[in-house]
Amino acid sequence: MSIAERLNQIRSRIAEAAAKVGRDPRTVRLVAVSKTRPPGDVVAACRAGQVIFGENYVQELTVKAAGIAEPLEWHFIGHLQSNKVKYLAGLVTLIHSVDRLSLAEEISRQWGRLGKSCDVLVQVNIAGEATKSGTTETGALRLVRDIALLPNVRVRGLMTMPPFFDDPEAARPYFAELKRLSDLIAGEDIPGVEMGELSMGMSGDFEAAIQEGATLVRVGTAIFGER
Ligand SMILES: *Cc1c(COP(=O)(O)O)cnc(C)c1O
């Protein structure tokens, strides 16, 4: 199957999952995760109407972006070291993986130099896995409050990566928990914070994530094939 055909399939599956819970499918945006894939794959997806692409590695993203002329939007979704933030400034429209204040401070500094603000999501490690990035569930509200005080960063929601399961239903409680946490933080009415986005769900479990409220699903393998 071609990338265009796989994209069409994913779009139908997104629409069906949204319809099942009475959601407008336009409230779910697809992030095509293009890590390890060549620029030609990104261009093919672009020509098939895909707009948002997610990358995990700064070096890979900057090289790839420089070689692509198509109009598209880059999101950064991987673990991010503060000393690499400067390479992303002005290049990405959303960073999904902010998990500590020092990182948000550096993002604010670098976007501030451009006279702009960066939209970010706070990554939460719902399951508390030692191997995964993300703030703790109890630390999330505090982190959002602290980031809200920075001049050039805007919190737009939360992101999570649940533990890996073969059964997509097994991830559902973690998605529901992120939604609950997001509602709780939204209820605090922190100035400058808009908790509109929930980035959750990947190739194996994006339908369950949509049913639990995802607004951004990050899908790689199901579009581009096995890495
Ligand atoms: C690789 C990656 C994805 C996509 O995973 P697939 O299983 O290939 O869909 C999504 N989110 C993050 C943070 C990733 O690193």
mmCIF file of all heavy atoms in Angstrom, residues 29 31 51-54 61 72-77 88-96 107 111 116-121 154 156 197 216:
data_model
loop_
_atom_site.group_PDB
_atom_site.id
_atom_site.type_symbol
_atom_site.label_atom_id
_atom_site.label_comp_id
_atom_site.label_asym_id
_atom_site.label_seq_id
_atom_site.Cartn_x
_atom_site.Cartn_y
_atom_site.Cartn_z
ATOM 1 N N ARG A 29 -6.566 16.139 15.163
ATOM 2 C CA ARG A 29 -5.559 16.380 14.130
ATOM 3 C C ARG A 29 -4.538 15.246 14.127
ATOM 4 O O ARG A 29 -4.118 14.749 15.175
ATOM 5 C CB ARG A 29 -4.868 17.719 14.350
ATOM 6 C CG ARG A 29 -5.819 18.902 14.092
ATOM 7 C CD ARG A 29 -5.091 20.222 14.134
ATOM 8 N NE ARG A 29 -4.578 20.513 15.473
ATOM 9 C CZ ARG A 29 -3.601 21.380 15.723
ATOM 10 N NH1 ARG A 29 -3.010 22.014 14.732
ATOM 11 N NH2 ARG A 29 -3.215 21.598 16.965
ATOM 12 N N VAL A 31 -0.921 13.854 13.504
ATOM 13 C CA VAL A 31 0.504 14.181 13.422
ATOM 14 C C VAL A 31 1.197 12.964 12.802
ATOM 15 O O VAL A 31 1.201 11.885 13.393
ATOM 16 C CB VAL A 31 1.098 14.468 14.821
ATOM 17 C CG1 VAL A 31 2.583 14.783 14.718
ATOM 18 C CG2 VAL A 31 0.342 15.593 15.509
ATOM 19 N N VAL A 51 -0.510 17.575 6.695
ATOM 20 C CA VAL A 51 0.048 18.903 6.990
ATOM 21 C C VAL A 51 1.047 18.886 8.153
ATOM 22 O O VAL A 51 2.078 19.540 8.114
ATOM 23 C CB VAL A 51 -1.091 19.904 7.321
ATOM 24 C CG1 VAL A 51 -0.520 21.268 7.675
ATOM 25 C CG2 VAL A 51 -2.050 20.030 6.139
ATOM 26 N N ILE A 52 0.730 18.116 9.206
ATOM 27 C CA ILE A 52 1.571 18.151 10.414
ATOM 28 C C ILE A 52 2.472 16.921 10.476
ATOM 29 O O ILE A 52 1.991 15.783 10.342
ATOM 30 C CB ILE A 52 0.718 18.197 11.696
ATOM 31 C CG1 ILE A 52 -0.286 19.351 11.646
ATOM 32 C CG2 ILE A 52 1.599 18.335 12.923
ATOM 33 C CD1 ILE A 52 -1.259 19.339 12.818
ATOM 34 N N PHE A 53 3.763 17.162 10.724
ATOM 35 C CA PHE A 53 4.723 16.071 10.853
ATOM 36 C C PHE A 53 5.432 16.171 12.195
ATOM 37 O O PHE A 53 5.788 17.264 12.635
ATOM 38 C CB PHE A 53 5.733 16.125 9.699
ATOM 39 C CG PHE A 53 5.091 15.802 8.370
ATOM 40 C CD1 PHE A 53 4.435 16.792 7.655
ATOM 41 C CD2 PHE A 53 5.072 14.505 7.884
ATOM 42 C CE1 PHE A 53 3.793 16.494 6.454
ATOM 43 C CE2 PHE A 53 4.430 14.203 6.689
ATOM 44 C CZ PHE A 53 3.789 15.197 5.966
ATOM 45 N N GLY A 54 5.622 15.014 12.834
ATOM 46 C CA GLY A 54 6.268 14.978 14.144
ATOM 47 C C GLY A 54 7.629 14.327 14.042
ATOM 48 O O GLY A 54 7.798 13.311 13.369
ATOM 49 N N LEU A 61 15.614 16.384 12.386
ATOM 50 C CA LEU A 61 14.577 17.335 11.967
ATOM 51 C C LEU A 61 15.160 18.503 11.173
ATOM 52 O O LEU A 61 14.645 18.858 10.115
ATOM 53 C CB LEU A 61 13.814 17.864 13.196
ATOM 54 C CG LEU A 61 12.888 19.061 12.960
ATOM 55 C CD1 LEU A 61 11.840 18.758 11.890
ATOM 56 C CD2 LEU A 61 12.208 19.470 14.251
ATOM 57 N N LEU A 72 4.535 22.830 5.196
ATOM 58 C CA LEU A 72 4.069 21.890 6.223
ATOM 59 C C LEU A 72 4.406 22.451 7.592
ATOM 60 O O LEU A 72 5.087 23.467 7.712
ATOM 61 C CB LEU A 72 4.682 20.506 6.017
ATOM 62 C CG LEU A 72 6.208 20.383 5.903
ATOM 63 C CD1 LEU A 72 6.877 20.472 7.240
ATOM 64 C CD2 LEU A 72 6.564 19.055 5.255
ATOM 65 N N GLU A 73 3.903 21.762 8.601
ATOM 66 C CA GLU A 73 4.086 22.201 9.979
ATOM 67 C C GLU A 73 4.860 21.117 10.710
ATOM 68 O O GLU A 73 4.462 19.951 10.655
ATOM 69 C CB GLU A 73 2.679 22.297 10.598
ATOM 70 C CG GLU A 73 2.382 23.551 11.363
ATOM 71 C CD GLU A 73 0.991 23.483 11.979
ATOM 72 O OE1 GLU A 73 0.007 23.732 11.253
ATOM 73 O OE2 GLU A 73 0.896 23.151 13.162
ATOM 74 N N TRP A 74 5.931 21.494 11.403
ATOM 75 C CA TRP A 74 6.691 20.515 12.185
ATOM 76 C C TRP A 74 6.319 20.605 13.664
ATOM 77 O O TRP A 74 6.246 21.710 14.214
ATOM 78 C CB TRP A 74 8.194 20.761 12.054
ATOM 79 C CG TRP A 74 8.767 20.542 10.695
ATOM 80 C CD1 TRP A 74 9.160 21.508 9.813
ATOM 81 C CD2 TRP A 74 9.027 19.282 10.060
ATOM 82 N NE1 TRP A 74 9.653 20.918 8.664
ATOM 83 C CE2 TRP A 74 9.583 19.563 8.782
ATOM 84 C CE3 TRP A 74 8.851 17.946 10.432
ATOM 85 C CZ2 TRP A 74 9.954 18.555 7.887
ATOM 86 C CZ3 TRP A 74 9.226 16.947 9.536
ATOM 87 C CH2 TRP A 74 9.770 17.253 8.288
ATOM 88 N N HIS A 75 6.107 19.452 14.277
ATOM 89 C CA HIS A 75 5.948 19.382 15.725
ATOM 90 C C HIS A 75 7.126 18.592 16.286
ATOM 91 O O HIS A 75 7.546 17.611 15.678
ATOM 92 C CB HIS A 75 4.654 18.642 16.111
ATOM 93 C CG HIS A 75 3.404 19.430 15.880
ATOM 94 N ND1 HIS A 75 2.166 19.000 16.310
ATOM 95 C CD2 HIS A 75 3.199 20.628 15.274
ATOM 96 C CE1 HIS A 75 1.245 19.901 15.967
ATOM 97 N NE2 HIS A 75 1.843 20.883 15.335
ATOM 98 N N PHE A 76 7.637 19.006 17.431
ATOM 99 C CA PHE A 76 8.686 18.220 18.077
ATOM 100 C C PHE A 76 8.046 17.372 19.168
ATOM 101 O O PHE A 76 7.338 17.885 20.039
ATOM 102 C CB PHE A 76 9.783 19.122 18.664
ATOM 103 C CG PHE A 76 10.997 18.324 19.022
ATOM 104 C CD1 PHE A 76 11.913 17.972 18.038
ATOM 105 C CD2 PHE A 76 11.193 17.871 20.314
ATOM 106 C CE1 PHE A 76 13.014 17.178 18.343
ATOM 107 C CE2 PHE A 76 12.290 17.074 20.622
ATOM 108 C CZ PHE A 76 13.205 16.733 19.649
ATOM 109 N N ILE A 77 8.282 16.052 19.118
ATOM 110 C CA ILE A 77 7.573 15.155 20.037
ATOM 111 C C ILE A 77 8.506 14.329 20.921
ATOM 112 O O ILE A 77 8.050 13.544 21.747
ATOM 113 C CB ILE A 77 6.634 14.189 19.258
ATOM 114 C CG1 ILE A 77 7.440 13.277 18.327
ATOM 115 C CG2 ILE A 77 5.595 14.975 18.448
ATOM 116 C CD1 ILE A 77 6.593 12.183 17.674
ATOM 117 N N LEU A 88 15.509 24.638 17.226
ATOM 118 C CA LEU A 88 14.080 24.458 16.925
ATOM 119 C C LEU A 88 13.326 25.784 16.819
ATOM 120 O O LEU A 88 12.229 25.839 16.251
ATOM 121 C CB LEU A 88 13.409 23.615 18.021
ATOM 122 C CG LEU A 88 13.888 22.177 18.188
ATOM 123 C CD1 LEU A 88 13.075 21.488 19.280
ATOM 124 C CD2 LEU A 88 13.792 21.406 16.884
ATOM 125 N N ALA A 89 13.937 26.846 17.361
ATOM 126 C CA ALA A 89 13.235 28.135 17.429
ATOM 127 C C ALA A 89 12.839 28.606 16.033
ATOM 128 O O ALA A 89 13.667 28.672 15.134
ATOM 129 C CB ALA A 89 14.115 29.172 18.118
ATOM 130 N N GLY A 90 11.571 28.895 15.875
ATOM 131 C CA GLY A 90 11.065 29.357 14.592
ATOM 132 C C GLY A 90 10.796 28.241 13.597
ATOM 133 O O GLY A 90 10.193 28.464 12.555
ATOM 134 N N LEU A 91 11.245 27.030 13.908
ATOM 135 C CA LEU A 91 11.079 25.908 12.969
ATOM 136 C C LEU A 91 9.849 25.066 13.303
ATOM 137 O O LEU A 91 9.149 24.592 12.412
ATOM 138 C CB LEU A 91 12.346 25.032 12.994
ATOM 139 C CG LEU A 91 12.360 23.760 12.148
ATOM 140 C CD1 LEU A 91 12.193 24.088 10.661
ATOM 141 C CD2 LEU A 91 13.666 22.982 12.352
ATOM 142 N N VAL A 92 9.589 24.856 14.593
ATOM 143 C CA VAL A 92 8.445 24.021 14.972
ATOM 144 C C VAL A 92 7.302 24.884 15.511
ATOM 145 O O VAL A 92 7.534 25.959 16.067
ATOM 146 C CB VAL A 92 8.833 22.949 16.031
ATOM 147 C CG1 VAL A 92 9.923 22.040 15.496
ATOM 148 C CG2 VAL A 92 9.270 23.581 17.345
ATOM 149 N N THR A 93 6.069 24.411 15.307
ATOM 150 C CA THR A 93 4.912 25.186 15.771
ATOM 151 C C THR A 93 4.368 24.661 17.102
ATOM 152 O O THR A 93 3.556 25.334 17.736
ATOM 153 C CB THR A 93 3.771 25.162 14.738
ATOM 154 O OG1 THR A 93 3.464 23.803 14.435
ATOM 155 C CG2 THR A 93 4.179 25.882 13.460
ATOM 156 N N LEU A 94 4.782 23.465 17.503
ATOM 157 C CA LEU A 94 4.338 22.932 18.790
ATOM 158 C C LEU A 94 5.382 21.943 19.308
ATOM 159 O O LEU A 94 5.870 21.101 18.553
ATOM 160 C CB LEU A 94 2.982 22.213 18.637
ATOM 161 C CG LEU A 94 2.342 21.675 19.919
ATOM 162 C CD1 LEU A 94 1.917 22.795 20.863
ATOM 163 C CD2 LEU A 94 1.117 20.797 19.608
ATOM 164 N N ILE A 95 5.710 22.072 20.593
ATOM 165 C CA ILE A 95 6.590 21.098 21.250
ATOM 166 C C ILE A 95 5.719 20.305 22.223
ATOM 167 O O ILE A 95 5.118 20.875 23.137
ATOM 168 C CB ILE A 95 7.757 21.798 21.982
ATOM 169 C CG1 ILE A 95 8.631 22.571 20.974
ATOM 170 C CG2 ILE A 95 8.603 20.775 22.751
ATOM 171 C CD1 ILE A 95 9.756 23.393 21.603
ATOM 172 N N HIS A 96 5.632 18.972 21.980
ATOM 173 C CA HIS A 96 4.723 18.131 22.781
ATOM 174 C C HIS A 96 5.348 17.659 24.087
ATOM 175 O O HIS A 96 4.657 17.059 24.894
ATOM 176 C CB HIS A 96 4.375 16.853 22.001
ATOM 177 C CG HIS A 96 3.530 17.045 20.783
ATOM 178 N ND1 HIS A 96 2.430 16.257 20.508
ATOM 179 C CD2 HIS A 96 3.622 17.905 19.737
ATOM 180 C CE1 HIS A 96 1.891 16.618 19.350
ATOM 181 N NE2 HIS A 96 2.598 17.617 18.858
ATOM 182 N N ILE A 107 13.165 27.461 26.142
ATOM 183 C CA ILE A 107 12.258 27.672 25.002
ATOM 184 C C ILE A 107 11.808 29.138 24.985
ATOM 185 O O ILE A 107 11.826 29.800 23.947
ATOM 186 C CB ILE A 107 11.048 26.708 25.084
ATOM 187 C CG1 ILE A 107 11.510 25.266 24.880
ATOM 188 C CG2 ILE A 107 9.988 27.078 24.038
ATOM 189 C CD1 ILE A 107 10.441 24.210 25.177
ATOM 190 N N TRP A 111 12.646 31.621 21.827
ATOM 191 C CA TRP A 111 11.545 32.191 21.036
ATOM 192 C C TRP A 111 11.481 33.708 21.272
ATOM 193 O O TRP A 111 11.136 34.465 20.387
ATOM 194 C CB TRP A 111 10.227 31.502 21.360
ATOM 195 C CG TRP A 111 9.828 30.460 20.345
ATOM 196 C CD1 TRP A 111 8.878 30.606 19.363
ATOM 197 C CD2 TRP A 111 10.354 29.129 20.196
ATOM 198 N NE1 TRP A 111 8.807 29.451 18.610
ATOM 199 C CE2 TRP A 111 9.685 28.540 19.091
ATOM 200 C CE3 TRP A 111 11.337 28.391 20.864
ATOM 201 C CZ2 TRP A 111 9.958 27.231 18.663
ATOM 202 C CZ3 TRP A 111 11.607 27.101 20.433
ATOM 203 C CH2 TRP A 111 10.927 26.533 19.353
ATOM 204 N N LYS A 116 8.792 36.048 19.361
ATOM 205 C CA LYS A 116 7.620 35.189 19.198
ATOM 206 C C LYS A 116 7.381 34.372 20.462
ATOM 207 O O LYS A 116 8.197 34.369 21.373
ATOM 208 C CB LYS A 116 7.844 34.213 18.037
ATOM 209 C CG LYS A 116 7.935 34.887 16.686
ATOM 210 C CD LYS A 116 8.129 33.848 15.593
ATOM 211 C CE LYS A 116 8.120 34.517 14.211
ATOM 212 N NZ LYS A 116 8.653 33.627 13.183
ATOM 213 N N SER A 117 6.237 33.637 20.460
ATOM 214 C CA SER A 117 5.949 32.706 21.545
ATOM 215 C C SER A 117 5.837 31.302 20.990
ATOM 216 O O SER A 117 5.414 31.117 19.851
ATOM 217 C CB SER A 117 4.633 33.066 22.225
ATOM 218 O OG SER A 117 4.830 34.175 23.065
ATOM 219 N N CYS A 118 6.206 30.338 21.808
ATOM 220 C CA CYS A 118 6.140 28.935 21.395
ATOM 221 C C CYS A 118 4.994 28.237 22.121
ATOM 222 O O CYS A 118 4.867 28.341 23.344
ATOM 223 C CB CYS A 118 7.452 28.244 21.736
ATOM 224 S SG CYS A 118 7.524 26.514 21.238
ATOM 225 N N ASP A 119 4.162 27.537 21.370
ATOM 226 C CA ASP A 119 3.114 26.723 21.974
ATOM 227 C C ASP A 119 3.720 25.397 22.440
ATOM 228 O O ASP A 119 4.477 24.770 21.690
ATOM 229 C CB ASP A 119 1.999 26.430 20.961
ATOM 230 C CG ASP A 119 1.121 27.651 20.718
ATOM 231 O OD1 ASP A 119 1.171 28.598 21.527
ATOM 232 O OD2 ASP A 119 0.381 27.654 19.718
ATOM 233 N N VAL A 120 3.381 24.975 23.646
ATOM 234 C CA VAL A 120 3.925 23.724 24.170
ATOM 235 C C VAL A 120 2.836 22.893 24.856
ATOM 236 O O VAL A 120 1.807 23.414 25.283
ATOM 237 C CB VAL A 120 5.068 23.961 25.199
ATOM 238 C CG1 VAL A 120 6.195 24.789 24.590
ATOM 239 C CG2 VAL A 120 4.556 24.597 26.484
ATOM 240 N N LEU A 121 3.111 21.603 24.940
ATOM 241 C CA LEU A 121 2.311 20.700 25.750
ATOM 242 C C LEU A 121 3.199 20.199 26.875
ATOM 243 O O LEU A 121 4.417 20.049 26.695
ATOM 244 C CB LEU A 121 1.830 19.502 24.913
ATOM 245 C CG LEU A 121 1.090 19.830 23.614
ATOM 246 C CD1 LEU A 121 0.687 18.537 22.904
ATOM 247 C CD2 LEU A 121 -0.122 20.704 23.883
ATOM 248 N N ARG A 154 3.570 29.343 25.656
ATOM 249 C CA ARG A 154 2.141 29.219 25.980
ATOM 250 C C ARG A 154 1.758 27.755 26.122
ATOM 251 O O ARG A 154 1.946 26.964 25.192
ATOM 252 C CB ARG A 154 1.287 29.839 24.867
ATOM 253 C CG ARG A 154 1.514 31.344 24.726
ATOM 254 C CD ARG A 154 0.572 31.948 23.727
ATOM 255 N NE ARG A 154 0.751 31.331 22.412
ATOM 256 C CZ ARG A 154 0.348 31.888 21.279
ATOM 257 N NH1 ARG A 154 -0.265 33.050 21.291
ATOM 258 N NH2 ARG A 154 0.535 31.277 20.128
ATOM 259 N N ARG A 156 -0.600 24.762 25.952
ATOM 260 C CA ARG A 156 -1.791 24.490 25.157
ATOM 261 C C ARG A 156 -2.457 23.158 25.511
ATOM 262 O O ARG A 156 -3.459 22.782 24.911
ATOM 263 C CB ARG A 156 -1.434 24.486 23.669
ATOM 264 C CG ARG A 156 -1.199 25.885 23.106
ATOM 265 C CD ARG A 156 -2.507 26.653 23.090
ATOM 266 N NE ARG A 156 -2.349 28.038 22.687
ATOM 267 C CZ ARG A 156 -2.320 29.075 23.528
ATOM 268 N NH1 ARG A 156 -2.418 28.874 24.830
ATOM 269 N NH2 ARG A 156 -2.201 30.294 23.086
ATOM 270 N N GLU A 197 -5.577 21.099 24.046
ATOM 271 C CA GLU A 197 -5.000 19.976 23.300
ATOM 272 C C GLU A 197 -4.639 18.805 24.203
ATOM 273 O O GLU A 197 -4.077 18.976 25.281
ATOM 274 C CB GLU A 197 -3.722 20.427 22.555
ATOM 275 C CG GLU A 197 -3.911 21.603 21.613
ATOM 276 C CD GLU A 197 -4.640 21.243 20.320
ATOM 277 O OE1 GLU A 197 -4.979 20.055 20.104
ATOM 278 O OE2 GLU A 197 -4.868 22.164 19.516
ATOM 279 N N LEU A 216 -4.826 15.427 19.278
ATOM 280 C CA LEU A 216 -3.665 15.218 18.420
ATOM 281 C C LEU A 216 -3.264 13.758 18.574
ATOM 282 O O LEU A 216 -3.003 13.308 19.698
ATOM 283 C CB LEU A 216 -2.497 16.112 18.868
ATOM 284 C CG LEU A 216 -2.641 17.620 18.612
ATOM 285 C CD1 LEU A 216 -1.710 18.415 19.537
ATOM 286 C CD2 LEU A 216 -2.325 17.944 17.151
#
